[in-house]
């Protein structure tokens, strides 16, 4: 079964017309035709089983034969300082989407190497990963926000850093629900940023004995959070 993405598909209809990009892929790349089966994800928990009924211009029309609704994933919110190399963030997002990341925020820190990211490109990467892994939900991806503003609006989370101080083990302090995980830039958070986060209820955590690259630390945190979420399910 081939999987496609369309956030506009409605529960109130049995006929639907796919957008141009997906239609083009169906007809020109996959060479699918009338009578072929496919599935459509809307990124909001719904999966639609469909059969191609024909075309209208360059757009593919389908008949919906069955709808499945999936339970929402428990929240996993990563707030990360974008890496200088955009490919590394894209790699992280693809793998994290497959694992069940629900929310990604980019934060601007004192030692940040990149101030802006291409959100549209990242959304496309997440959509591709969602379809490939057949997950029902598309993670929410936010534009860059400065560090202080983020922790003021998202208190009581976890912060991973490399300073020598008492840190908690992830599985001892992570809780499902509203618990954002802060992952800093290659140069780490500053001591002032760590202290500020602690003032807003954050807990310092360790992600192991070795010093991890930004995207590796973030993916490891997603894996740990997913394991805990599944245990508490």
């Amino acid at each position: 079964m081939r999987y496609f993405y369309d956030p506009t598909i409605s529960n109130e209809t049995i006929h639907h017309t796919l957008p141009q990009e997906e239609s083009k892929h169906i007809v020109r790349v996959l060479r699918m035709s009338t009578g072929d089966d496919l599935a459509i994800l809307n990124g909001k928990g719904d999966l639609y089983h469909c059969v191609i009924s024909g075309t209208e211009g360059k757009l593919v029309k389908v008949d919906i034969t069955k709808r499945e609704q999936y339970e929402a994933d428990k929240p996993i919110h990563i707030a990360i300082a974008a890496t200088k190399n955009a490919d590394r963030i894209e790699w992280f997002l693809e793998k994290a989407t497959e694992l069940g990341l629900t929310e990604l925020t980019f934060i601007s820190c004192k030692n940040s190497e990149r101030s802006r990211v291409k959100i549209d490109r990242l959304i496309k990467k997440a959509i591709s990963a969602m379809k490939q892994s057949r997950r029902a939900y598309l993670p929410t991806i936010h534009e860059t926000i400065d560090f202080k503003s983020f922790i003021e609006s998202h208190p009581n989370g976890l912060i991973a850093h490399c300073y020598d101080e008492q840190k908690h083990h992830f599985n001892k302090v992570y809780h499902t629900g509203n618990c954002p995980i802060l992952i800093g830039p290659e140069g780490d958070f500053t001591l002032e940023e760590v202290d500020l986060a602690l003032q807003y209820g954050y807990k310092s955590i360790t992600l192991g004995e070795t010093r991890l690259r930004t995207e590796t630390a973030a993916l490891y945190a997603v894996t740990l959070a997913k394991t805990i979420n599944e245990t508490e399910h």
Side-chain angles (χ1 to χ4, degrees):
M1 179 78 73
R2 301 279 188 176
Y3 281 67
F4 301 90
Y5 171 70
D6 186 352
T8 69
I9 192 167
S10 170
N11 295 338
E12 286 72 43
T13 183
I14 58 173
H15 308 292
H16 184 71
T17 302
L18 282 159
Q20 185 171 346
E21 185 174 351
E22 293 287 49
S23 294
K24 180 179 179 181
H25 187 65
I26 290 170
V27 175
R28 295 189 180 181
V29 179
L30 300 176
R31 303 294 182 182
M32 298 176 72
S33 58
T34 300
D36 287 344
D37 295 320
L38 56 83
I40 302 174
L41 296 161
N42 66 359
K44 306 167 188 175
D46 298 307
L47 171 64
Y48 300 85
H49 296 266
C50 307
V51 59
I52 298 176
S53 59
T55 59
E56 185 177 287
K58 296 182 179 180
L59 305 180
V60 171
K61 299 172 69 73
V62 298
D63 292 335
I64 301 169
T65 58
K66 180 182 177 182
R67 171 179 170 262
E68 296 180 56
Q69 188 172 33
Y70 291 84
E71 183 179 350
D73 295 321
K74 290 187 177 180
I76 301 178
H77 185 180
I78 296 291
I80 188 171
T83 57
K84 185 176 182 179
N85 186 334
D87 290 345
R88 289 164 56 192
I89 282 295
E90 291 176 6
W91 174 86
F92 158 71
L93 179 59
E94 288 178 351
K95 305 309 177 187
T97 298
E98 293 175 19
L99 288 172
L101 176 73
T102 61
E103 192 169 0
L104 177 64
T105 302
F106 291 96
I107 51 175
S108 177
C109 307
K110 182 67 178 293
N111 294 328
S112 288
E113 299 175 294
R114 177 184 288 269
S115 59
R116 301 189 67 180
V117 293
K118 296 179 179 179
I119 295 295
D120 290 345
R121 179 177 171 83
L122 289 171
I123 291 174
K124 288 181 180 179
K125 291 289 184 180
I127 290 171
S128 178
M130 179 188 69
K131 291 191 295 185
Q132 191 278 330
S133 60
R134 301 182 180 182
R135 299 198 64 85
Y137 287 87
L138 184 69
T140 301
I141 305 175
H142 300 285
E143 295 278 1
T144 304
I145 182 175
D146 70 89
F147 179 86
K148 185 173 186 294
S149 296
F150 179 83
I151 62 171
E152 287 177 342
S153 57
H154 298 81
N156 304 316
L158 307 180
I159 181 169
H161 59 80
C162 300
Y163 294 105
D164 293 327
E165 65 170 59
Q166 185 176 1
K167 299 175 187 175
H168 302 275
H169 289 286
F170 188 96
N171 61 349
K172 298 294 184 182
V173 290
Y174 178 78
H175 57 85
T176 57
N178 184 20
C179 187
I181 306 162
L182 297 179
I183 304 293
E186 292 298 309
D188 206 354
F189 295 112
T190 65
L191 278 172
E192 290 76 16
E193 288 169 336
V194 173
D195 289 341
L196 185 62
L198 298 181
Q199 292 174 30
Y200 278 85
Y202 277 75
K203 291 182 172 62
S204 295
I205 56 168
T206 176
L207 293 175
E209 298 299 322
T210 57
R211 179 169 292 195
L212 304 175
R213 300 183 77 168
T214 296
E215 71 277 14
T216 309
L219 189 60
Y220 184 46
V222 171
T223 304
L224 292 174
K226 176 181 172 61
T227 300
I228 294 172
N229 285 351
E230 290 180 342
T231 301
E232 296 182 356
H233 188 70

